[in-house]
Amino acid sequence: MQRFRLYSSADLDAVLRSMARQLVAMVDPREPIVLVGVLRRGAPLADRLLTLARGLQPALQVERLDLKVKRYGDDLTLLHPETRLDRPEAAPDLQDRHVVVIDDVLYHGHSLFKVLEFLKAGGAASVRAGVLVDRQVSRYPIHADIVGLKLEVAPGDVVECNVPPYEAEWAIDLCRPEVQA
């Protein structure tokens, strides 16, 4: 694979600040929300986003929750036959709550679709989504309400979000398969 650095740490700090402004503008600070990070990389992104959002709107009432998706629908190397979501036992009640889901990449939308279904079935009053990168090729009527970056890349290319603590550097790379001569 060829690897190209698209965005560095400094670039992404500015992107995340923009996402925090979008989040604060979208929610009513008088109503509590549940900010859900999709494990793995969506969870630390949600934490970073929450810190920045509280800096902009200290009165923001937010509970955090992480959901583990057993199979990422957009991943071609599937390890599990069905998408399953795990919710921690001490998770906040979602009944009649406003929920914002955070993930790293919106590609075809399979994973986000399953997460949104799961949260709605849990009684959420509303569910919105935020992504660091939207590849703009969703196969479902799924969109992100909070978008850091919109990238249009070739179908065979992989957008790799490097998010600490899972990677050492905070960056976005484009990985392209080597062309065989």
Side-chain angles (χ1 to χ4, degrees):
M1 288 278 235
Q2 295 176 306
R3 179 177 297 272
F4 306 95
R5 175 67 34 103
L6 299 180
Y7 294 90
S8 68
S9 177
D11 300 325
L12 291 177
D13 287 344
V15 169
L16 214 55
R17 283 192 302 276
S18 171
M19 291 176 68
R21 287 190 299 275
Q22 292 173 58
L23 174 64
V24 168
M26 183 179 71
V27 300
D28 182 345
R30 297 167 297 178
E31 292 192 25
I33 64 168
V34 179
L35 189 63
V36 175
V38 176
L39 290 168
R40 289 189 357 158
R41 289 166 186 83
L45 286 172
D47 290 336
R48 286 174 177 235
L49 191 58
L50 179 56
T51 299
L52 291 169
R54 281 193 171 139
L56 296 169
Q57 179 56 263
L60 200 61
Q61 302 172 54
V62 181
E63 288 185 74
R64 277 279 290 112
L65 170 67
D66 292 332
L67 286 179
K68 183 176 183 180
V69 180
K70 293 277 189 172
R71 173 198 141 212
Y72 289 90
D74 292 348
D75 187 354
L76 301 178
T77 59
L78 304 178
L79 300 176
H80 302 279
E82 296 179 17
T83 301
R84 292 193 332 252
L85 296 143
D86 288 341
R87 175 183 162 158
E89 290 179 25
D93 182 17
L94 298 175
Q95 190 67 41
D96 300 322
R97 303 291 299 278
H98 298 285
V99 179
V100 179
V101 179
I102 304 297
D103 204 357
D104 59 346
V105 178
L106 174 56
Y107 187 30
H108 289 148
H110 300 291
S111 298
L112 188 54
F113 185 79
K114 290 294 184 185
V115 169
L116 297 176
E117 275 184 322
F118 177 80
L119 295 169
K120 186 62 182 161
S126 68
V127 182
R128 296 192 175 180
V131 295
L132 181 59
V133 176
D134 183 348
R135 287 191 60 170
Q136 300 186 300
V137 291
S138 180
R139 294 183 178 176
Y140 291 100
I142 297 287
H143 74 278
D145 303 286
I146 300 168
V147 177
L149 300 163
K150 293 180 181 182
L151 298 179
E152 294 182 28
V153 298
D157 291 349
V158 175
V159 174
E160 188 175 282
C161 295
N162 302 299
V163 182
Y166 299 111
E167 289 84 26
E169 276 188 274
W170 171 223
I172 295 178
D173 294 336
L174 178 75
C175 299
R176 177 169 289 152
E178 293 282 343
V179 177
Q180 302 298 321

